[in-house]
Structures are given as structure tokens and as C-alpha cells.
Amino acid sequence: MAFVNVAHALDHYVLLIYPTAVIAMAADLGRDYGPMIALSTGAFVAFGLFALPMGWLAERVGRRNLLATFFFGCATSLAGLTASSTPTAIALWLFVLGVFTAIYHPIGASLLVSHASSLGRSLGWNGVFGNLGSAFASGGTALLASTLGWRAAFLAPAAVCLAVGLAYLVFAPAEAESRVAGPKTAPPSGVGMRVPVLLALFAAALIAGGMTFNITSISLPKAIDERLGLDVPLAVTGALVTGVFLFGAMTQLIVGRLVDRVPLPTIFVGLAALQPLGLGLAATTDGAPMLAGLALAIAAIYGQVVVNDAMVARYTPPHLRTKAYSVRYFLGFTASGFAAPLIAVAHASGGFGLVFTLAAAFGAVIFGAAICFFVASKPAAVQASSS
């Protein structure tokens, strides 16, 4: 469980190094932000695309071996980025990094729920670790890039991934591979013919949620750097981004507690309502109000991740869970891999006002799907309680 949580932090950290490092890289290499941030498209597409086969691959090579591959693959990819100077090399190694980071979510989530004694609490804490990785990616990258140069921002976490991978092979018990228990699953009574509708609504929310997740996470460092209204060094920008993500981490703990006490569709609607609200505020304001809007959006987006994982864990049989998580993250992250070029085009056309307006539109789709999901599932919940 400890290694799964640490892996979640590293997964988000290494994938979000580039959106902050690119600020220093663009200046050092004499290139514009838009074309440089678009180089990360392959990484984010691969992050979702290669999640799909992981469930099937786990049956052949084992979840433990795949998680070890995650650690060593990330270390290799980051080392490659350290030695890169051309757009082609940077894009190639970012793509390779995306392939290896795709391993974590379907494998890590499956291992987590297989060993969880309390589903909501375990998912909440796991979410916090992932959010801490996202948070310190900006602050840590900014600190390393501003003091030791942007190459050090890739090299230092490469060494950490290598060290944790070696420790994992030494200390993680091989017999954990055979454990497939975890939370018991019981589909709601009376769902019947509504299952395809609920799955379609959940899939729509996953795809749109992936877009809000990536647009906001990738844009955050540059948006604060550009629209805060203050001339601050890169290290301060990174610290502010870290603060926003830490706020989201606290939300995940709260949502994790709610998962064990409140019906999931109800939590789904509440979090979905906050996403377009926060993103709309960020789109129409600058300075502190923009920062507050982004903090609200990030909190809702990361809280939604806990709810999504809880839905898969609660209603999927244990022997299908790894495959179910593969599909869940494939839907959530593949389409959202195109967030980077969308940011580049929208930023060139209308700045971050347009970028966050588009993100708010995706947030509105999530809210609509959540309302429909709540209505479609409510009769089943009522029937189950009356029986």
C-alpha cells in the first residue's frame, strides 16, 4: 500500500514536470511557449491510450512486475529528457514517458482496492499522494530549474524513481500478487435496463473530466505566471501552483470520507457543479480572483477522481477490476491528451481567458452528465432502500 501511494505521487509528479520546466526551456532554447507546450501532446495521449492494454497485460506478467516497470521506465524517460535539446528529441522522450506513466493508474488502483480495508479512506489518501505529486511537480521543478537549470528538474526525479523502484523489488511481497479481494461489489437493486444509460453517462463524464483535468493542470503554471498581475520569479510561481494543488489534496480527503457515508451519485453532482463555476471565474478574472477560481476547480476535479475510482471499485467484480480501471483511465485520459495542442491554439487566439472558457464548457458537460446520472440512478436507490 505504501509503494502504491508513493507511485501515485511519482506518476503525477513526473508527468507534470514539463508544463513548468517548459517556461525555462523555452527561454533557454529560444522558442515560443505555444509550440513548446504542444510537444507534450504525445505524452498525454500515451498516458491514456496505453492504459487500455494494462489490464490484459497484468494477467500475463503480473501487477507487481508492471509496477516495477513503471518505476524504471519513468527513470529512463526522464534521463532521456535531461539529454534532449531539439523539439524532436523532447517530443519523443515525452511520448516514452507517457507510455510508462500509463501503467500506474489501472495497476495501482487495482492493487489499492484489492487491499483496502476502508474503500473511501484508502482512495482519499491515495488521491492525496497523487495530488501531492502534482503539487510539488510545479514547486520542485521551478526550484530546480531556477537554481540548477531545467535539466536538473528532470534528472533529480529520475534518480528518485530509480531508487524507489529498487526498494520496491526488495520489499514488496510477491505473494500480494495473488490477493484479489477488496470491497465487495453489489450493483444497486432495480438497475436493470438503465445500466447502458448509466455507463454512457459515466463515460461522457470521464471523457469531459479528462479534458478539465489536463487543461487545468497543464495551464496552471503559465496562467499564474501570466495573469497573476505581479512580476514574480519562477520559484514563486511554482510555490503558488503547489498551494493550489495542496488545496485539492485536502478536498480528496474529505471526499474519501464522504464516499463511505453518502451515495456516490449525490457526491458526483456536488463536485460536478463546482467545476464550471471555478473555471468560469478563472476565465473572466485576473489576479487573486482567478487564483481562487482555479483552486475551486482543482479541488472539484481532484475530488471527482476519488468518486470515479470508487464507482469502479464498488460495482466491478474483483476479477474484472484491473481491466475495468484500464478502460476507465483510457476513456479519461486518451482524448484529454489533446489538451496540450488545444491550449496552444486557444492561448494564441484568446489567451487563458479562452483556455479556461473551453475548460468550463467541458465542466458543464460533466455537470449535465452528473444530473442525468443522479436522476437515472435515483429510482434504483429508492427501490433498494425500500426493499
Side-chain angles (χ1 to χ4, degrees):
M1 291 286 282
F3 279 109
V4 167
N5 285 335
V6 170
H8 196 193
L10 288 174
D11 191 52
H12 284 282
Y13 187 103
V14 301
L15 197 62
L16 288 178
I17 293 172
Y18 187 75
T20 297
V22 70
I23 299 174
M25 293 171 71
D28 182 50
L29 300 175
R31 299 182 181 275
D32 294 331
Y33 170 77
M36 286 291 287
I37 194 64
L39 295 177
S40 62
T41 302
F44 291 105
V45 171
F47 185 55
L49 185 64
F50 285 89
L52 185 60
M54 292 304 164
W56 287 265
L57 193 59
E59 293 182 347
R60 289 157 177 79
V61 303
R63 295 181 299 183
R64 181 177 182 271
N65 292 335
L66 276 178
L67 195 60
T69 302
F70 157 78
F71 289 120
F72 297 125
C74 288
T76 302
S77 304
L78 292 171
L81 281 165
T82 301
S84 300
S85 297
T86 66
T88 301
I90 293 169
L92 175 62
W93 281 112
L94 285 171
F95 174 79
V96 175
L97 179 65
V99 172
F100 285 112
T101 54
I103 295 173
Y104 174 76
H105 280 94
I107 303 304
S110 174
L111 284 168
L112 180 80
V113 301
S114 295
H115 295 77
S117 57
S118 173
L119 177 62
R121 184 174 66 247
S122 297
L123 287 174
W125 276 108
N126 182 253
V128 168
F129 273 85
N131 210 353
L132 289 174
S134 298
F136 288 103
S138 297
T141 299
L143 180 62
L144 287 168
S146 61
T147 55
L148 301 176
W150 62 263
R151 297 182 191 277
F154 293 107
L155 186 59
V160 173
C161 288
L162 178 61
V164 176
L166 292 172
Y168 177 72
L169 288 180
V170 172
F171 295 109
E175 60 268 21
E177 192 64 45
S178 62
R179 181 171 176 175
V180 293
K184 296 181 179 179
T185 60
S189 302
V191 169
M193 297 295 292
R194 286 188 298 275
V195 169
V197 175
L198 293 173
L199 289 176
L201 291 170
F202 187 50
L206 287 175
I207 294 170
M211 291 301 296
T212 60
F213 184 102
N214 269 12
I215 290 174
T216 309
S217 298
I218 296 171
S219 297
L220 197 57
K222 183 62 176 178
I224 292 177
D225 178 63
E226 188 175 296
R227 296 182 62 190
L228 184 62
L230 300 172
D231 186 15
V232 296
L234 181 59
V236 175
T237 298
L240 290 173
V241 175
T242 296
V244 171
F245 280 121
L246 288 176
F247 182 70
M250 297 304 102
T251 304
Q252 288 185 310
L253 277 181
I254 296 171
V255 172
R257 295 291 184 177
L258 290 176
V259 162
D260 293 324
R261 295 170 174 81
V262 180
L264 291 175
T266 302
I267 308 174
F268 188 9
V269 171
L271 291 172
L274 296 178
Q275 293 188 43
L277 179 63
L279 290 166
L281 179 62
T284 55
T285 59
D286 294 318
M290 178 204 68
L291 197 60
L294 289 174
L296 180 62
I298 286 289
I301 289 167
Y302 278 82
Q304 183 66 53
V305 172
V306 177
V307 173
N308 293 343
D309 285 343
M311 285 184 174
V312 175
R314 187 158 288 171
Y315 303 123
T316 304
H319 68 284
L320 295 176
R321 198 169 284 143
T322 306
K323 291 181 179 178
Y325 278 114
S326 294
V327 174
R328 174 256 191 273
Y329 284 105
F330 169 77
L331 290 174
F333 290 140
T334 300
S336 66
F338 294 97
L342 179 63
I343 292 169
V345 173
H347 181 266
S349 301
F352 281 109
L354 180 56
V355 171
F356 292 132
T357 297
L358 292 174
F362 285 111
V365 172
I366 300 169
F367 181 61
I371 291 292
C372 294
F373 190 98
F374 179 83
V375 172
S377 63
K378 190 174 182 180
V382 172
Q383 182 176 342
S385 63
S386 62
S387 61

